[in-house]
Amino acid sequence: MPSISYNSIYKRALSRIKDLELATYTEADFYDSLKEWLHSSTASPLFRKKFQLFSLDDEIMRVTFELANSVDDDFDKNFVINILAKGVIINYFPSKLESTRNIAFAVGGSQEKVLLNTYSKNMERLKQLEKEYDLELSRHGWYFGEYGESNG
């Protein structure tokens, strides 16, 4: 049964996030936030349906899983790392957007409109990320047996 470390998921997610504000977190807060975003990313029924077995172990910081439509261990690990990293990003993004929105109200004037415009564009991007996430989960089922009969 494959397992992956939380750090491999965090590394993949953080390689896609360019936010210097994360550097201001204490190490404990940083890892607590990442862990919370990771746990939140596993709450989707569409996500959970992909697994026969799925377990997050916060003590040893490992994810143990068995995909319902397994291809092979290497592909499965890469798929799970990738999908969980996207989930971490999707769960991180709203907190970033809300802090940006609060700043927009503090600035005021014409600059406020520019920041709010960025906020709405970022909300569109978040919706697009969520759609891509759902599509990737759906495609896995389509390609590897849930709807077809091929398993790689």
Side-chain angles (χ1 to χ4, degrees):
M1 175 169 7
S3 71
I4 52 179
S5 70
Y6 284 13
N7 283 335
S8 61
I9 299 163
Y10 298 161
K11 185 186 244 184
R12 181 86 48 100
L14 291 171
S15 71
R16 299 175 182 171
I17 296 174
K18 307 292 187 253
D19 184 5
L20 296 176
E21 187 177 312
L22 290 174
T24 64
Y25 287 31
T26 65
E27 187 175 356
D29 288 344
F30 179 70
Y31 282 106
D32 283 345
S33 295
L34 285 170
K35 183 174 64 174
E36 186 61 36
W37 296 328
L38 175 63
H39 280 265
S40 296
S41 71
T42 65
S44 159
L46 184 58
F47 173 85
R48 186 58 184 96
K49 184 181 176 190
K50 300 296 171 196
F51 298 90
Q52 288 182 357
L53 173 77
F54 185 86
S55 172
L56 294 168
D57 190 332
D58 292 339
E59 281 187 33
I60 60 172
M61 294 180 63
R62 290 199 75 76
V63 176
T64 306
F65 65 92
E66 187 175 332
L67 283 168
N69 294 305
S70 178
V71 177
D72 61 54
D73 282 354
D74 288 337
F75 179 87
D76 293 353
K77 285 179 184 180
N78 196 38
F79 172 74
V80 172
I81 289 170
N82 199 43
I83 204 73
L84 287 174
K86 285 182 181 180
V88 166
I89 293 167
I90 288 168
N91 285 287
Y92 146 81
F93 212 49
S95 64
K96 177 65 177 169
L97 291 178
E98 290 308 314
S99 67
T100 302
R101 187 172 188 201
N102 290 335
I103 289 171
F105 289 120
V107 172
S110 63
Q111 291 175 343
E112 177 182 341
K113 292 177 184 171
V114 172
L115 286 172
L116 287 175
N117 185 30
T118 303
Y119 176 80
S120 65
K121 288 192 183 307
N122 284 331
M123 286 302 292
E124 288 174 24
R125 178 65 182 137
L126 176 59
K127 288 184 188 329
Q128 182 64 30
L129 284 171
E130 290 170 341
K131 184 179 177 182
E132 289 171 11
Y133 176 83
D134 289 346
L135 279 172
E136 188 170 347
L137 285 171
S138 297
R139 284 183 186 133
H140 182 272
W142 180 259
Y143 294 149
F144 300 111
E146 215 168 282
Y147 304 106
E149 293 301 321
S150 171
N151 231 18

